[in-house]
Amino acid sequence: MTEVSIFPIIWFVLWGLLWAVYFVMDGFDLGMGVLMPFISSGEEERRAIYNAAGPYWDANEVWLITAGGVTFAAFPKAYAVMFSALYAPLLLLLFALIFRAVSFEYRNKVDSPSWRGFWDLCQFLGSFLPALLLGVAFANLFQGIPIDGDGIYHGNILKLLNPYGLLGGVLFVLMFSYHGALWLGLKADGALREKAMKRARTIWIYLTGVAVAFLAASAYFTTLYNNIINMPLLGIFPLLAVVSLLGSRAVIGSALGAWILSALFIIGATFFGVLGMFPALLPSNMDPAYSLTIMNAASSELTLKIMLGVAGVCVPIVILYQFWVYVTFSYRVTPEELKKEEAY
């Protein structure tokens, strides 16, 4: 048996961690964008939702760029096949995120209800589509995609819209919406905060049902449980997800406590899927021998070593910057604060 270097394993775990951090950090502002048409009842409340996400969204999306960059640098073959196989949904994801970003900057440029309404629609679609597409994409990765021994994808976007993939999409939309409602409960004030927390309680019911269905479907459509059977210690991650989701409802009177537990739920769910695929990054459902793994898709050991050193220097800087952003904008979004700030 060929001995596997420790560096591809380290980068596989870091790859999963970066995706988990992205889902936690960008998940709440994507969730608020999804909820905005259903929770806001006037211009002031819509502005409050924009301002609850506005200072953070671009810093949060750094983690998406980092996760993509790590895929490219650490596992270039997997990156090439992934971005070929999932080209259409990833392109749609990119354009949705672009229009969402533009909506933050351009909504206030013209004092017109129709102008603001257009950008509000872009904010909603630019939040809903990424949540849905990320869920569909990762669910399809978990169950395997039709790639052959040459890394050629034998499918189309319709094949990605299978029952398990769509269930993953619904799970991500609800997961981010719940996370966003709790964040809005932290940041908003008055009636908007009450509506956000009430909506969080409702979403939790649907999220719990879909999460249970996804765990059950994973046993039928995927091999994610095999690694847990072989390495029972990995069972801590689905257990973390279950306990955190139940705990968040138990402490939902405290938005901060519930949001932290919601974040732990997202981390546990992400690692359940990612570590369930190990050692594969892109499992093939045509033949397991065609799967792209940490052995056949990784960069050279020297490259992985250099990257680890660079990450050790740069990632703490990113974390410190993000910490500064969150501390600086830690205040509640009240009507008084909205008057002080530039309106979105």
Side-chain angles (χ1 to χ4, degrees):
M1 183 176 177
T2 304
E3 185 178 348
V4 180
S5 167
I6 190 65
F7 291 99
I9 298 175
I10 291 172
W11 277 107
F12 179 86
V13 174
L14 289 176
W15 178 74
L17 178 61
L18 287 169
W19 280 112
V21 171
Y22 170 67
F23 295 153
V24 169
M25 303 311 294
D26 208 29
F28 72 78
D29 54 65
L30 289 173
M32 285 191 291
V34 172
L35 288 175
M36 187 174 66
F38 310 104
I39 203 170
S40 59
S41 56
E43 175 62 16
E44 185 175 289
E45 289 189 349
R46 284 190 287 273
R47 282 185 56 203
I49 293 172
Y50 273 96
N51 279 272
Y56 313 105
W57 70 267
D58 46 355
N60 293 339
E61 289 191 358
V62 168
W63 298 105
L64 175 62
I65 297 168
T66 305
V70 164
T71 310
F72 170 76
F75 305 104
K77 188 174 180 180
Y79 177 91
V81 173
M82 182 186 297
F83 276 76
S84 298
L86 304 177
Y87 181 78
L90 287 174
L91 195 63
L92 185 58
L93 170 68
L94 175 63
F95 277 103
L97 290 174
I98 288 172
F99 275 92
R100 174 173 171 267
V102 174
S103 72
F104 281 106
E105 302 299 329
Y106 277 76
R107 185 182 189 272
N108 68 326
K109 299 303 181 184
V110 177
D111 186 14
S112 163
S114 58
W115 173 270
R116 290 193 293 268
F118 171 77
W119 292 115
D120 288 345
L121 178 62
C122 290
Q123 175 70 204
F124 169 71
L125 293 176
S127 301
F128 173 77
L129 287 176
L132 179 69
L133 291 170
L134 285 167
V136 169
F138 271 86
N140 275 279
L141 292 183
F142 295 159
Q143 71 176 342
I145 57 176
I147 53 175
D148 63 21
D150 295 319
I152 297 174
Y153 178 63
H154 295 267
N156 52 54
I157 191 170
L158 293 179
K159 283 192 175 181
L160 299 175
L161 302 178
N162 51 74
Y164 185 71
L166 290 172
L167 184 61
V170 173
L171 175 65
F172 269 55
V173 170
L174 290 171
M175 183 169 69
F176 289 171
S177 296
Y178 180 63
H179 204 46
L182 293 173
W183 181 261
L184 193 56
L186 270 173
K187 295 291 291 181
D189 199 23
L192 181 58
R193 180 183 185 279
E194 295 302 318
K195 286 193 289 185
M197 298 309 294
K198 182 179 179 181
R199 194 58 55 93
R201 291 179 175 90
T202 302
I203 295 171
W204 183 88
I205 298 171
Y206 294 104
L207 173 59
T208 302
V210 172
V212 169
F214 188 80
L215 285 173
S218 296
Y220 179 78
F221 289 101
T222 78
T223 60
L224 295 181
Y225 289 99
N226 288 359
N227 280 347
I228 295 177
I229 294 171
N230 295 327
M231 295 178 283
L233 188 61
L234 295 182
I236 192 173
F237 292 105
L239 181 62
L240 173 66
V242 171
V243 171
S244 297
L245 183 58
L246 295 175
S248 71
R249 179 62 181 85
V251 301
I252 204 165
S254 165
L256 177 59
W259 187 88
I260 291 172
L261 287 169
S262 172
L264 291 175
F265 163 67
I266 294 171
I267 291 170
T270 303
F271 271 104
F272 161 67
V274 170
L275 294 181
M277 294 193 299
F278 182 84
L281 291 106
L282 294 181
S284 171
N285 58 15
M286 296 180 69
D287 186 333
Y290 299 155
S291 298
L292 292 177
T293 69
I294 63 170
M295 286 80 79
N296 62 21
S299 295
S300 69
E301 186 165 330
L302 177 59
T303 299
L304 297 179
K305 286 180 180 178
I306 293 172
M307 285 174 57
L308 200 57
V310 172
V313 173
C314 295
V315 172
I317 295 173
V318 174
I319 293 173
L320 285 173
Y321 160 70
Q322 194 147 41
F323 178 77
W324 174 82
V325 169
Y326 276 75
V327 170
T328 302
F329 297 97
S330 60
Y331 51 80
R332 283 190 182 275
V333 181
T334 62
E336 292 74 21
E337 289 295 336
L338 289 175
K339 291 177 183 177
K340 298 177 186 176
E341 299 175 5
E342 181 181 5
Y344 280 109

